Amino acid sequence: MDFNRRNLLGLEGFSAEEITHILDTAESMKQINLRPIKKVPTLRGRTVVLFFFEPSTRTRTSFDLAAKRLSADSVSLSASTSSLTKGETLIDTARNLEAMGPDLIVMRHSMSGAPHMLARHVSPGIINAGDGTHEHPTQALLDMMTIRQHKGRLDGLKVTIIGDISHSRVARSGIIGLGTMGSTVTVYGPKTLLPPAPASLGVQVAGSMDEAVADADVIMMLRVQQERLGEVLFPSLREYAQRFGLAQRHLKLARPDVLVMHPGPINRGVEISPEVADGPFSVILDQVANGVAVRMALLYLLMSGADSEET
Ligand code: CP
């Protein structure tokens, strides 16, 4: 199919055909990552700027590796070491970066909508690597790739997302993407951390932990994002772990081939027990490995156009 997008700001508006095309391309990229020499010349001469205003281990490293494996040049910039600390505005910083001629800017920011604003002001393509509580589209794509690899499909699956749904950009992009691909999404968490109008998102809300995990094909746990909780929205981490944490006993209620997922970083013993995180149903490190392949696919699809070399 023709993939004519220049930006990936969110999964809102993406068709099932487009998502399938990205996942299929990521499967090809995964083959490169399995070779002894993990490098192809596909994006030689292209430049990617990684512009991260929030901490990241997985997303930043995997974008950097993705660029390098496709032979693109990558440059990393963090807010704390940039001239933003001297009072330069975000738009001025972006325009100065643009003047240096990058092809693509990958951006993570604490403000929802920051990558969208950048896309209106500069000419390079923009990938949203997580904006506030809004979207984290590349996470949802790598999650869907992981589910599809293990289950062979996305349609007709019961995917349960548990935790801080209202502050989670991972949940939001996941709900949009999985819904587009035909999965049924159920959410569960403290009432104070559930979205105000779940029906408008197309999700079902479970009434208990047992109901949430019952017959689930996939259980996706979310990190308790203490940095985004401006007020106390649940009594304590201990009580959270008891009422909303995933333990071994829950897995007996799910499908026998249930997948346990988590975007990372994990708060061990809070939202997920160590035995479950490291257990036989966990595909958490598969998610991380697929993150490189998905990001290679996106760099390729958004930057290469018709004139690129074959992988
Ligand atoms: N899942 C995720 O976005 O992880 P990082 O914050 O480490 O990038």
Side-chain angles (χ1 to χ4, degrees):
M1 72 167 288
D2 287 338
F3 191 87
N4 296 319
R5 293 180 183 263
R6 290 184 55 252
N7 303 313
L8 174 62
L9 302 175
L11 286 185
E12 193 87 62
F14 270 69
S15 66
E17 193 186 15
E18 284 177 298
I19 291 173
T20 301
H21 186 59
I22 295 168
L23 301 187
D24 290 346
T25 309
E27 290 294 344
S28 317
M29 295 298 174
K30 191 169 178 171
Q31 298 311 310
I32 297 168
N33 294 336
L34 298 174
R35 297 178 192 167
I37 308 293
K38 303 173 180 61
K39 199 170 179 91
V40 292
T42 311
L43 295 179
R44 196 168 48 205
R46 307 288 175 139
T47 308
V48 182
V49 173
L50 308 177
F51 196 14
F52 276 62
F53 287 74
E54 285 187 327
S56 169
T57 296
R58 283 146 288 268
T59 312
R60 186 172 179 154
T61 309
S62 58
F63 265 117
D64 201 9
L65 282 174
K68 287 178 167 66
R69 288 183 182 176
L70 294 174
S71 300
D73 296 309
S74 62
V75 178
S76 236
L77 185 70
S78 59
S80 60
T81 55
S82 77
S83 287
L84 285 155
T85 57
K86 301 176 197 165
E88 190 168 54
T89 67
L90 176 60
I91 298 296
D92 281 337
T93 302
R95 285 196 173 130
N96 279 268
L97 292 174
E98 179 186 26
M100 299 181 214
D103 298 284
L104 197 70
I105 298 175
V106 178
M107 185 196 209
R108 169 171 288 189
H109 202 286
S110 57
M111 188 177 76
S112 298
H116 305 67
M117 183 176 74
L118 216 63
R120 286 195 295 274
H121 285 88
V122 298
S123 57
I126 306 290
I127 295 183
N128 179 0
D131 64 321
T133 58
H134 180 227
E135 276 220 44
H136 192 349
T138 63
Q139 179 70 42
L141 289 164
L142 72 88
D143 289 343
M144 288 190 280
M145 179 178 181
T146 306
I147 296 170
R148 200 178 72 156
Q149 270 173 1
H150 285 272
K151 301 283 186 186
R153 68 188 208 283
L154 291 163
D155 63 297
L157 298 179
K158 175 181 175 178
V159 181
T160 295
I161 307 178
I162 298 173
D164 179 359
I165 310 293
S166 61
H167 293 92
S168 175
R169 56 197 181 201
V170 173
R172 188 178 175 83
S173 287
I175 288 166
I176 295 169
L178 288 161
T180 302
M181 299 307 287
S183 304
T184 301
V185 180
T186 298
V187 300
Y188 183 62
K191 283 194 170 57
T192 48
L193 298 178
L194 290 176
S200 68
L201 298 174
V203 298
Q204 298 172 8
V205 181
S208 68
M209 191 70 181
D210 286 0
E211 185 190 330
V213 299
D215 296 321
D217 294 289
V218 178
I219 302 172
M220 199 178 283
M221 301 307 295
L222 299 175
R223 180 173 68 88
V224 175
Q225 303 184 77
Q226 302 207 60
E227 74 276 19
R228 295 196 209 287
L229 299 175
E231 54 186 310
V232 179
L233 295 172
F234 52 85
S236 68
L237 289 180
R238 187 153 173 242
E239 183 172 332
Y240 186 94
Q242 281 168 355
R243 294 187 54 199
F244 305 102
L246 189 67
Q248 290 277 21
R249 67 179 177 82
H250 296 123
L251 302 184
K252 295 190 177 74
L253 303 173
R255 294 258 182 210
D257 59 348
V258 66
L259 302 180
V260 173
M261 304 178 74
H262 192 302
I266 292 172
N267 294 307
R268 284 178 180 265
V270 180
E271 66 264 5
I272 189 166
S273 73
E275 300 77 40
V276 175
D278 302 328
F281 300 103
S282 171
V283 293
I284 293 171
L285 294 179
D286 291 0
Q287 292 174 262
V288 178
N290 286 334
V292 181
V294 157
R295 286 157 184 142
M296 288 168 77
L298 289 166
L299 296 183
Y300 170 71
L301 291 169
L302 295 174
M303 274 202 290
S304 64
D307 57 348
S308 69
E309 298 175 49
E310 291 297 314
T311 52

